[in-house]
Amino acid sequence: MIRALLVEDEERSMRLLYAMLRDLAPDVEVIAREEQVDQAIQVIDQEKPDLVFLDIELNGESAFGILDGVTWKEFQVIFVTAYESYALKAIGYSAADYLLKPIDAEDLKNALEKARKGIALRLDSERMALFRSQLSEEGFHKRISLPTLDGFIIEELENIRMLKADGNYTLFHFINGEKSLVSKNIREFESLLEQRFFFRIHRSYMVNLRHVKKYIRGKGGHVVLSDSSMLPVAIRKKEAFLERLKQL
């Protein structure tokens, strides 16, 4: 769910926007409704919303003061106002979009779509930062966090048998037979995991060397993993792969 804050000093406009979000955006949860600059700043810093709908003029004050005054700044902003003259300044604050009153349903849908993309990028970045921190020298042998389509999973590295490229995603295979589609491409995991006991044997596959049970000679050759699955080794990877196996 996207956690949203509505900041508006006109009760009628507040009710209308709330109703439109309820009808058009079931993935948006309105966590609070405020009409004062100071109150809005406090709620943003305490609740850390994903999205803020912000009327620019609030009881004689400028809502731009909210954006300047908050500590938590990792949220998307959709400005809502009756005055088109504020558009350029709104763009300067990197707003996801700018809606004019009365709000058009189609304009609201488009604005929400832009905000969703910004929120997804932020969450993606946070997940990868967590993943990288789990791969530090001290934490590498412990559990790691893998960003998925709907959150993240936490798993022991030793329980990962192999990774398979799937376009912009990576399919993780675990030793218990389960699989999980992770929302990062395999190249990112290659740079993180190959320094340890994983090796990318092919453009489509990366294996946990501790689960390699057999190597079959050939032009590039094949590996047999602990579940008896057989995977190809790319010709250009063969020499480096065999050298890594010697180091186990």
Side-chain angles (χ1 to χ4, degrees):
M1 292 291 288
I2 294 174
R3 301 171 69 251
L5 168 66
L6 309 187
V7 184
E8 168 65 74
D9 64 349
E10 297 178 5
E11 182 61 29
R12 182 175 178 277
S13 295
M14 177 83 80
R15 290 199 306 268
L16 179 60
L17 177 56
Y18 182 83
M20 293 180 76
L21 289 172
R22 181 192 59 208
D23 295 338
L24 300 176
D27 62 329
V28 175
E29 175 192 6
V30 177
I31 60 171
R33 291 181 276 183
E34 299 295 342
E35 57 183 54
Q36 300 291 340
V37 169
D38 290 344
Q39 292 173 341
I41 290 174
Q42 184 176 0
V43 170
I44 290 171
D45 284 338
Q46 287 181 349
E47 298 296 331
K48 297 179 172 53
D50 301 306
L51 174 62
V52 176
F53 286 88
L54 194 56
D55 186 9
I56 293 178
E57 289 193 352
L58 294 166
N59 296 310
E61 296 185 79
S62 170
F64 292 110
I66 294 175
L67 302 182
D68 293 332
V70 293
T71 301
W72 167 255
K73 298 180 183 292
E74 302 301 318
F75 56 90
Q76 294 290 301
V77 179
I78 296 177
F79 285 106
V80 183
T81 182
Y83 303 98
E84 194 168 2
S85 59
Y86 283 116
L88 188 59
K89 190 170 184 179
I91 293 171
Y93 276 82
S94 300
D97 212 338
Y98 182 93
L99 298 175
L100 285 174
K101 299 177 183 178
I103 299 172
D104 178 78
E106 213 45 51
D107 289 343
L108 177 58
K109 288 180 183 178
N110 292 335
L112 284 168
E113 191 57 35
K114 293 177 185 177
R116 287 186 184 98
K117 291 177 181 177
I119 292 167
L121 286 174
R122 189 201 92 217
L123 294 175
D124 217 22
S125 177
E126 290 177 352
R127 291 166 188 160
M128 280 310 296
L130 179 58
F131 177 77
R132 290 175 186 275
S133 71
Q134 294 280 353
L135 295 180
S136 64
E137 288 293 334
E138 295 116 5
F140 189 81
H141 64 285
K142 299 179 181 178
R143 297 182 300 169
I144 61 170
S145 302
L146 300 175
T148 62
L149 299 177
D150 57 358
F152 60 89
I153 61 172
I154 299 174
E155 188 56 80
E156 302 282 344
L157 277 177
E158 63 185 20
N159 292 337
I160 301 170
R161 178 181 285 116
M162 61 166 282
L163 294 70
K164 181 179 180 181
D166 188 0
N168 291 325
Y169 300 90
T170 303
L171 186 64
F172 275 68
H173 291 241
F174 302 104
I175 60 175
N176 63 1
E178 294 182 358
K179 301 175 185 178
S180 184
L181 190 63
V182 175
S183 53
K184 283 291 177 183
N185 66 54
I186 198 169
R187 286 192 304 275
E188 299 208 34
F189 294 110
E190 179 180 10
S191 63
L192 291 169
L193 295 173
E194 276 205 338
Q195 58 185 302
R196 307 297 179 171
F197 49 87
F198 286 80
F199 191 87
R200 190 171 180 183
I201 60 172
H202 187 276
R203 66 181 181 181
S204 297
Y205 302 106
M206 188 171 190
V207 299
N208 183 335
L209 295 173
R210 296 178 179 178
H211 288 289
V212 173
K213 296 302 180 184
K214 186 178 181 180
Y215 171 72
I216 301 173
R217 291 191 181 90
K219 201 168 184 180
H222 289 79
V223 295
V224 178
L225 301 183
S226 55
D227 65 342
S228 299
S229 59
M230 182 182 295
L231 304 174
V233 178
I235 296 173
R236 62 185 181 85
K237 293 282 191 175
K238 178 179 178 179
E239 185 176 342
F241 172 64
L242 293 178
E243 188 61 33
R244 283 293 301 275
L245 285 180
K246 294 177 184 176
Q247 299 170 11
L248 290 179

